[in-house]
Amino acid sequence: MDDMSYEKDAVQLNTVVLPNKTAQNNTTFSSEGVSFGGEASLLSTPLNADDKSRVPLPAVAGIAFSVVALLLLGWPLLSLWLPEALLDQMSFQLALNAINQIGIFAGLPLLILVLTQHKIKDVLRLNKPKVSEVIISAALPLTLFPVVMALAAIVMLLVEMVFGSTADLTGLSSMMSETNIFVMIIFVAVMPAICEEVLFRGVVLKGLQKNGIVFGIILTAILFGLFHMDFQRFIAQALMGAVAGVVVYRTNSIFCGMIVHFMNNFVVLMLSFVAVSFIPSQEVAETAGETSEPGSTLEALRASAESANVDVIFMVAQTIIMFLIIIVVFAGLTLPLFIALFHVSKGKVQRLRAERELYAEKKPINLKCYLAFVPGLLIIGYSYYLTALYLLGLTQ
């Protein structure tokens, strides 16, 4: 289908006339509205005359988001009825991780698309990317990683100032010490890169961009950051989510978003592997007569402030300024990659002109569509509350 026919179909509504008795007044209804689409539906809007070529609205994204959140909360409750010896086995934990990723993060959103009669290939953008787009997608996380780490360091410092402590809630270090590195690459880098992208840069982004692609990318990134259910990592995760969103939209391929996601997780995994393998553990340090308090950045700054005879607030401000300089420098190094991405993907975005014009109708946001996100956000809010209690030492 060429651009002209595509744009023409984009503004057409496929209608059906009801049988004689029902259609006494020659009333017509959108066939999309009769099923799950159409302007009368909260779930989708037509893109062209093809029954399956509909764009999901925020309600579909919200349903997928909340259902996944509900199951991720409810799934651990099963541990209350499982033997502790079984829960301690790494093989069992990895099996649960696989179920979460494949069954919940990817499987449920795909099932929702099937039930709401959306075309999976179009919603997920299952399109072959260019070689140049693949290369840029792989390079972006490498230049952005110092930015992400600096942001994470600032947040961790502020969290320690507010709550008195920080914590590694990912369990990555313990898993690294008990599991083969190649197994960890599959479970920590490959699976999340594929399955989480299906939910966020697939269903959620496609649904939210109805109110504008910039709005959709930003809100999807925020939801992605929130969904890690650890406010210590929220900003860093949201930033990488925003980068993945831009890459997926510009290349019109979710595979490029998966590459961004994989490279980010892979770098984190490799750094964790180095830390576990070459940095002395807590027990080793104690055996050597040394003390080690991982995560006590604020205590280190207080000690430095005392030795330099300056106020600790000055040391904290100085540290934050240093991290901000790192952010600015490496963000500047990343800018040429974004320029190159926009250049090589220019033709693809132009070919999506009809879809962009559909989204550019500037219709007011239908808040009813966004109510579907509320259950998921309440669950995340509860997890943040539990994290705060844990950092305050009020729970284990």
Side-chain angles (χ1 to χ4, degrees):
M1 183 180 296
D2 57 27
D3 286 349
M4 292 185 62
S5 60
Y6 189 73
E7 291 184 66
K8 181 179 179 181
D9 288 339
V11 297
Q12 290 180 344
L13 290 177
N14 187 20
T15 58
V16 294
V17 182
L18 296 180
N20 293 336
K21 289 186 178 180
T22 311
Q24 292 177 357
N25 297 323
N26 199 27
T27 305
T28 61
F29 290 85
S30 166
S31 64
E32 311 294 307
V34 172
S35 55
F36 288 97
E39 293 298 330
S41 172
L42 293 176
L43 297 181
S44 63
T45 188
L47 184 59
N48 57 42
D50 181 0
D51 275 351
K52 292 284 179 95
S53 295
R54 292 194 303 274
V55 179
L57 292 179
V60 173
I63 291 171
F65 178 85
S66 292
V67 168
V68 172
L70 284 167
L71 286 178
L72 287 180
L73 176 69
W75 186 249
L77 295 178
L78 292 176
S79 62
L80 299 176
W81 290 273
L82 294 175
E84 187 173 344
L86 180 63
L87 294 174
D88 291 337
Q89 294 181 14
M90 183 55 63
S91 58
F92 181 74
Q93 295 179 24
L94 292 176
L96 288 182
N97 182 275
I99 293 174
N100 284 342
Q101 291 291 333
I102 300 174
I104 297 179
F105 271 106
L108 284 175
L110 292 176
L111 178 61
I112 289 172
L113 289 181
V114 172
L115 294 177
T116 54
Q117 301 178 18
H118 287 94
K119 199 169 184 179
I120 292 177
K121 183 180 184 298
D122 291 344
V123 175
L124 299 188
R125 296 180 171 94
L126 298 176
N127 304 309
K128 181 180 178 180
K130 300 177 182 178
V131 174
S132 57
E133 293 170 344
V134 170
I135 294 174
I136 294 173
S137 299
L140 274 171
L142 299 179
T143 57
L144 269 177
F145 192 75
V147 176
V148 173
M149 292 297 292
L151 281 172
I154 293 174
V155 172
M156 294 295 276
L157 179 58
L158 296 177
V159 167
E160 189 174 354
M161 292 178 66
V162 174
F163 295 95
S165 66
T166 59
D168 178 13
L169 302 179
T170 64
L172 187 59
S173 298
S174 61
M175 292 177 69
M176 287 291 297
S177 62
E178 300 179 34
T179 310
N180 184 284
I181 182 62
F182 297 104
V183 174
M184 290 299 296
I185 290 174
I186 294 174
F187 281 87
V188 176
V190 176
M191 279 190 184
I194 296 173
C195 300
E196 292 178 14
E197 288 303 300
V198 168
L199 173 62
F200 287 100
R201 257 61 63 181
V203 178
V204 174
L205 177 58
K206 197 74 170 185
L208 292 181
Q209 73 180 66
K210 170 62 180 174
N211 293 115
I213 186 58
V214 175
F215 171 85
I217 290 174
I218 293 175
L219 186 53
T220 300
I222 292 173
L223 293 172
F224 178 70
L226 290 173
F227 212 91
H228 286 79
M229 299 189 184
D230 180 3
F231 54 74
Q232 300 173 114
R233 299 188 296 150
F234 165 72
I235 293 180
Q237 297 293 345
L239 174 60
M240 290 309 301
V243 171
V246 171
V247 169
V248 168
Y249 177 70
R250 291 297 305 191
T251 63
N252 195 34
S253 174
I254 197 172
F255 299 118
C256 288
M258 292 176 180
I259 292 171
V260 171
H261 200 147
F262 168 79
M263 289 300 297
N264 179 71
N265 288 11
F266 181 76
V267 172
V268 172
L269 186 60
M270 290 299 101
L271 290 178
S272 299
F273 175 73
V274 171
V276 170
S277 302
F278 301 104
I279 297 178
S281 64
Q282 176 76 16
E283 288 117 8
V284 172
E286 291 176 352
T287 303
E290 302 173 356
T291 58
S292 175
E293 295 184 6
S296 57
T297 307
L298 189 57
E299 288 300 321
L301 290 177
R302 283 173 179 160
S304 299
E306 289 179 5
S307 63
N309 197 26
V310 296
D311 191 83
V312 66
I313 298 299
F314 172 80
M315 294 299 296
V316 170
Q318 187 179 59
T319 302
I320 292 177
I321 291 173
M322 178 188 69
F323 285 132
L324 290 175
I325 292 174
I326 292 174
I327 291 171
V328 171
V329 169
F330 282 92
L333 294 177
T334 305
L335 183 60
L337 288 176
F338 276 109
I339 294 174
L341 175 69
F342 276 60
H343 175 72
V344 300
S345 62
K346 184 177 180 181
K348 285 189 175 182
V349 177
Q350 288 178 341
R351 288 196 296 272
L352 293 174
R353 187 167 55 252
E355 182 177 330
R356 293 167 66 196
E357 290 176 356
L358 173 66
Y359 289 140
E361 291 176 358
K362 304 298 181 184
K363 292 184 177 180
I365 295 176
N366 188 345
L367 294 180
K368 292 180 181 179
C369 292
Y370 288 87
L371 291 177
F373 285 97
V374 173
L377 292 174
L378 290 176
I379 292 169
I380 292 172
Y382 179 67
S383 73
Y384 277 23
Y385 168 72
L386 293 179
T387 300
L389 293 180
Y390 178 78
L391 294 176
L392 290 171
L394 300 178
T395 186
Q396 295 183 351

